[in-house]
Amino acid sequence: MSQLKKGAALNYIIIFLTNAVGLFLTPFILSHIGKEEYGIYTTIGALVGTISILDLGLNNTTIRFVAKYKAEDDKEKEENFLAITLIIYGLISSIIIISGLAFYGQIDSYFTKMTSEEISVAKTIFALLIFNLAISLPGNTFNGICYGYESFVFPKTIQIIRYILRSLVVVGVLLLGGKAISLVIIDTIFNIIIIAINAYYVFFKLNVRIKLHEFSAKYLKEIFGYSIWIFVFSFVGIIQWKVGHWILGRISVPEVLTIYGIGIMLGTYYGAFSSAISSVFLPRATKMTVGNASTEELTSMMIKIGRISFIILMYILGAFSLFGYQFVLLWVGGELGPTASREVWLIGLLIMIAYTLPLIQGFGNSILEAKNKLAFKAIIYLVFLITGAVLGAYLARSYGALGMIIGSLSGWIIVQNVMNFYYNNVIGLNIPRFFKELFNKTLPALLFVSALGYIITFIPGEGWINFVTKATCYSLVYFVVIYNLGIIGFEKQLFKDALNPFLNKMKLKW
């Protein structure tokens, strides 16, 4: 199996671990450090995560240029590029530390709803995370070099090992009485170790050298000419996922920050399922775009990818709509209580609803990238997501975390409607056909599943056994109905192809 295929397989393992372990650790961490400290932990993490935008897209740029120079067998340009990149990262790390020191002194005046003890915890976590970020950004260069060399297995395997070990250490430390500060210390230690391991692999296994041969403006122009749009979309991501933490941190108590943070986490997990499906098809789709495929051919591919993502996402969205509150109550309700748990569920549900259309139209972004049409999308996203954040800040004063997410999501929804107009009238994709074929067979099947799912909610009882029983019944109903009534021939064949290796092994055993 090639490095590419192994890397893809390891990527799915990482997605699974991130979601599964995250779901397990969240209530465990919450119960051991308390909802107030958990809110501080997630909010400070989001604030420092905002500063990570100073990466300026250089990590992806490293992958692209290292791959380019390797293909050209130009060692001198590769060495020079990496040297300039590390110089830039050195400047970025200095700016991060200076910015961190400046904000450190303002923490007590910014977080007006925190007690003096909570402020002390926030300051310690902030200082540690700033140090973490200052070493992580240049340290990520070694990952980028590995990917540029198409050496995916080693860094991804290390990432998996790190994730497992980190989870075990977190459990152990919390059982021994550790708090939020302990979690940040654990992450700092793991970061240093992983950077050292990756650096060793790059220098002694891949035999990469870093040497400054020439420092001129043309190199900077080439680097930042590529990274600028990656930077812009990183900034969009910051507004989309982290600005709410900034706003709520200013006006809300730590418990509200916890509610918001957990709800956001559930929403991001939803997106991972779609990415795991659609990423299999995106390389083929990009080749079509570069190969001057017609707009109808591109629409057909968008429909094919969109339907598969839609079927998977509707399973998750349907289950979360029907049984999500019971799950959240069982999952973190012991610490948060029924009211807060319902709010977490509503935040997660609203994100999933608003996030569904962008996810099933993810192929559209590949088309924009191939056609060099990202500027319009970037501007539209910035304008309306900032507008949504402002509305969220206004609503948050009366409705807390729920108000914040409602305001933010209004920006998402407007953006996606504008983008559909752009796809149809500027790019030339047949969006009416996309929706017509997306709902072909799936819509009546989903309505039928929803009715049966609603009946399943009346199964009496409570607790995890009752939840698992309902979820199992719903899963069986969903896949039986969708397979028989909701999917077309291509999708049935895809399902059979996925099961064939497993079924063949079962036959051999018998």
Side-chain angles (χ1 to χ4, degrees):
M1 191 185 291
S2 68
Q3 281 275 331
L4 192 61
K5 289 181 179 178
K6 289 178 181 176
L10 290 170
N11 205 40
Y12 291 127
I13 294 173
I14 291 169
I15 289 171
F16 173 78
L17 278 175
T18 302
N19 292 342
V21 176
L23 286 173
F24 166 75
L25 276 183
T26 298
F28 185 82
I29 293 172
L30 189 60
S31 65
H32 281 79
I33 69 176
K35 56 189 176 184
E36 289 81 10
E37 196 160 311
Y38 185 87
I40 297 168
Y41 172 66
T42 55
T43 300
I44 297 297
L47 299 187
V48 176
T50 304
I51 302 173
S52 68
I53 196 174
L54 289 173
D55 175 71
L56 303 178
L58 287 178
N59 191 43
N60 283 14
T61 306
T62 299
I63 298 171
R64 192 259 187 185
F65 279 96
V66 167
K68 176 178 180 289
Y69 294 136
K70 183 176 182 296
E72 295 170 351
D73 197 25
D74 194 331
K75 280 289 182 183
E76 183 174 314
K77 282 189 176 180
E78 179 186 292
E79 292 170 358
N80 199 60
F81 165 78
L82 291 173
I84 292 173
T85 301
L86 286 179
I87 290 171
I88 295 170
Y89 268 130
L91 293 173
I92 290 172
S93 293
S94 300
I95 292 170
I96 287 170
I97 291 171
I98 293 168
S99 302
L101 289 172
F103 188 75
Y104 182 87
Q106 304 300 316
I107 287 178
D108 48 354
S109 59
Y110 185 84
F111 294 105
T112 57
K113 301 296 182 179
M114 292 186 186
T115 65
S116 58
E117 185 178 342
E118 289 168 346
I119 289 292
S120 177
V121 171
K123 283 187 171 182
T124 305
I125 292 174
F126 181 82
L128 287 168
L129 288 178
I130 285 292
F131 172 74
N132 242 323
L133 186 60
I135 63 172
S136 292
L137 290 186
N140 286 339
T141 301
F142 300 115
N143 257 357
I145 293 170
C146 289
Y147 296 160
Y149 268 68
E150 292 190 353
S151 181
F152 302 104
V153 173
F154 181 81
K156 288 186 180 295
T157 302
I158 292 297
Q159 190 177 345
I160 290 170
I161 293 170
R162 174 216 173 127
Y163 201 78
I164 294 170
L165 289 178
R166 187 255 183 194
S167 300
L168 293 173
V169 172
V170 165
V171 170
V173 168
L174 291 181
L175 288 173
L176 292 172
K179 292 293 183 181
I181 293 171
S182 305
L183 302 181
V184 185
I185 292 172
I186 290 169
D187 287 333
T188 303
I189 293 170
F190 269 100
N191 269 351
I192 294 170
I193 294 171
I194 297 304
I195 290 171
I197 291 172
N198 285 335
Y200 175 84
Y201 183 79
V202 164
F203 291 133
F204 296 100
K205 297 298 180 181
L206 298 180
N207 295 315
V208 172
R209 295 291 175 264
I210 299 175
K211 182 179 179 181
L212 184 65
H213 297 278
E214 177 190 3
F215 191 91
S216 64
K218 69 175 183 179
Y219 283 102
L220 295 177
K221 185 178 179 181
E222 192 174 14
I223 291 169
F224 288 114
Y226 179 80
S227 70
I228 183 65
W229 291 117
I230 300 170
F231 164 72
V232 170
F233 280 104
S234 296
F235 186 61
V236 167
I238 293 293
I239 298 172
Q240 195 168 15
W241 297 111
K242 298 186 185 298
V243 163
H245 291 278
W246 277 90
I247 294 168
L248 290 173
R250 174 70 174 173
I251 64 175
S252 304
V253 296
E255 183 179 351
V256 173
L257 306 179
T258 297
I259 293 169
Y260 186 78
I262 296 175
I264 288 285
M265 182 180 66
L266 289 172
T268 58
Y269 285 169
Y270 181 69
F273 287 99
S274 175
S275 301
I277 301 298
S278 61
S279 61
V280 177
F281 297 90
L282 290 181
R284 189 192 313 171
T286 305
K287 286 181 182 178
M288 286 178 61
T289 311
V290 175
N292 295 318
S294 70
T295 53
E296 283 302 316
E297 288 173 324
L298 292 172
T299 301
S300 296
M301 180 58 75
M302 189 173 180
I303 292 166
K304 187 178 289 186
I305 298 171
R307 278 183 60 89
I308 295 168
S309 295
F310 185 62
I311 289 165
I312 298 297
L313 291 175
M314 287 303 97
Y315 165 68
I316 301 165
L317 180 59
F320 196 75
S321 300
L322 294 166
F323 318 113
Y325 173 61
Q326 183 181 3
F327 166 75
V328 173
L329 194 60
L330 292 168
W331 182 46
V332 293
E335 292 297 321
L336 297 182
T339 303
S341 295
R342 183 173 293 276
E343 199 166 344
V344 167
W345 168 63
L346 285 172
I347 290 170
L349 182 61
L350 289 170
I351 292 172
M352 291 178 189
I353 292 169
Y355 207 7
T356 296
L357 187 55
L359 288 172
I360 63 177
Q361 292 186 330
F363 176 53
N365 194 66
S366 295
I367 297 173
L368 294 179
E369 189 171 350
K371 291 178 177 290
N372 197 25
K373 299 283 188 181
L374 286 173
F376 177 80
K377 182 176 180 179
I379 293 168
I380 289 298
Y381 262 76
L382 284 174
V383 169
F384 285 105
L385 289 184
I386 290 172
T387 303
V390 172
L391 177 59
Y394 174 77
L395 294 175
R397 294 189 177 277
S398 300
Y399 304 105
L402 198 56
M404 184 69 237
I405 202 63
I406 289 172
S408 297
L409 293 182
S410 66
W412 295 23
I413 293 167
I414 294 171
V415 162
Q416 202 56 33
N417 281 291
V418 172
M419 287 309 302
N420 271 300
F421 179 86
Y422 186 77
Y423 287 145
N424 190 78
N425 294 281
V426 179
I427 303 301
L429 297 174
N430 192 336
I431 295 302
R433 180 188 158 212
F434 172 83
F435 284 109
K436 181 180 178 181
E437 295 194 28
L438 180 73
F439 295 133
N440 177 35
K441 299 187 76 173
T442 58
L443 186 58
L446 289 170
L447 291 173
F448 186 40
V449 168
S450 298
L452 295 176
Y454 180 70
I455 294 170
I456 291 170
T457 62
F458 289 98
I459 294 176
E462 55 187 24
W464 282 110
I465 294 176
N466 177 260
F467 169 76
V468 171
T469 301
K470 290 176 181 175
T472 303
C473 291
Y474 171 81
S475 299
L476 291 172
V477 166
Y478 186 88
F479 289 111
V480 168
V481 172
I482 289 295
Y483 183 82
N484 288 285
L485 301 177
I487 61 176
I488 57 180
F490 163 76
E491 292 151 0
K492 285 190 178 182
Q493 190 58 50
L494 198 67
F495 180 76
K496 289 175 183 176
D497 290 344
L499 284 183
N500 276 340
F502 174 76
L503 295 176
N504 290 335
K505 287 181 181 179
M506 293 296 291
K507 288 178 183 177
L508 289 173
K509 286 183 180 180
W510 286 100

